[in-house]
Amino acid sequence: MLSVIQNPPRIALPIVGSSDLFPVRRVYCVGRNYAAHAREMGADPDREPPFFFMKPADALQIVGSEPTPHPYPSKTRNYHFEVEMVAALAGGGTDISAADVLDQVYGYAIGLDMTRRDVQDEAKALSRPWDTAKAADGSGPIGALHPASLVGHPARGEITLSVDGQTRQKGDLGDMIWSVAEQIAYLSGYFALQPGDLIFTGTPSGVGPVERGQRMVAAIAGLGAITLDVV
Ligand code: MN
């Protein structure tokens, strides 16, 4: 049987220390998972259970070890960076217990949940969905996957983002309100998680705008860094 159009390419992540690839299925993102960031967005970090939204897999931008051009999207004048650790699932299931869930994680990467903040603010005010704010083409820059067999399951360590050499976001993975295991367990109550799913695990405080011509460097202890030149 033939496809009536060319089959869309499957998005796949490179893997550190290997020529193999990790094919991506879905991309889940958790909101407001660091207390200081929840406060800067006007929310109360103590009362909210985790909430999730999604990016299309083909909104990811695969970033190698070299500085990579990152196109500034249309329809925004307030395009924000959010540095996040990304967990990649090799397994899945429904109603997984948090105690067992890390066995399902293949590895971790550095990601950016790039956001049209002005569009998001408008959507919030009008109680509309966030897709046009969060799912812009290229809005999920992501570096190579570091297998858990090499780096373990990072539970603490510095997570930073700098713009033109100036540190803008600085947090610690240990400051997540919901741990990676808790996020995955909670998410598995709503969706049948499957191999290839990614979870963007939230951003520390300090989110802000970036402009064309600026360089972003996102780094997580043990996972290296990715560099993006906004064009
Ligand atoms: Mn985010």
Side-chain angles (χ1 to χ4, degrees), residues 29-32 37 53 82-84 113 115 134 200-203:
C29 305
V30 65
R32 297 179 203 136
H37 172 62
F53 58 92
E82 298 188 0
V83 61
E84 313 205 0
D113 170 18
T115 302
K134 288 292 196 179
F200 279 61
T201 61
T203 196

Side-chain angles (χ1 to χ4, degrees), residues 48-69:
E48 292 186 339
F51 71 91
F52 295 87
F53 58 92
M54 296 174 78
K55 283 183 191 286
D58 63 2
L60 297 177
Q61 179 187 20
I62 309 299
V63 182
S65 51
E66 301 295 311
T68 301

Side-chain angles (χ1 to χ4, degrees), residues 59-194:
L60 297 177
Q61 179 187 20
I62 309 299
V63 182
S65 51
E66 301 295 311
T68 301
H70 178 77
Y72 194 96
S74 63
K75 305 288 187 185
T76 182
R77 304 182 81 170
N78 195 19
Y79 188 48
H80 275 208
F81 47 77
E82 298 188 0
V83 61
E84 313 205 0
M85 186 169 77
V86 181
L89 295 188
T94 54
D95 295 323
I96 313 169
S97 97
D100 303 330
V101 81
L102 289 184
D103 296 341
Q104 313 287 335
V105 178
Y106 176 81
Y108 299 88
I110 301 170
L112 288 174
D113 170 18
M114 297 301 295
T115 302
R116 290 176 171 122
R117 191 72 72 200
D118 42 0
V119 175
Q120 187 192 31
D121 289 344
E122 185 181 17
K124 285 179 180 174
L126 297 172
S127 297
R128 287 178 177 166
W130 286 7
D131 303 65
T132 50
K134 288 292 196 179
D137 295 327
S139 65
I142 185 168
L145 262 184
H146 295 253
S149 59
L150 297 180
V151 300
H153 297 280
R156 50 190 56 80
E158 197 166 78
I159 174 170
T160 60
L161 184 131
S162 70
V163 176
D164 289 344
Q166 187 176 9
T167 301
R168 302 287 295 277
Q169 289 189 270
K170 186 173 183 177
D172 193 286
L173 299 175
D175 293 334
M176 287 186 190
I177 296 171
W178 299 87
S179 70
V180 172
E182 288 169 334
Q183 289 179 55
I184 297 170
Y186 190 91
L187 195 53
S188 76
Y190 286 89
F191 301 98
L193 300 178
Q194 293 192 28

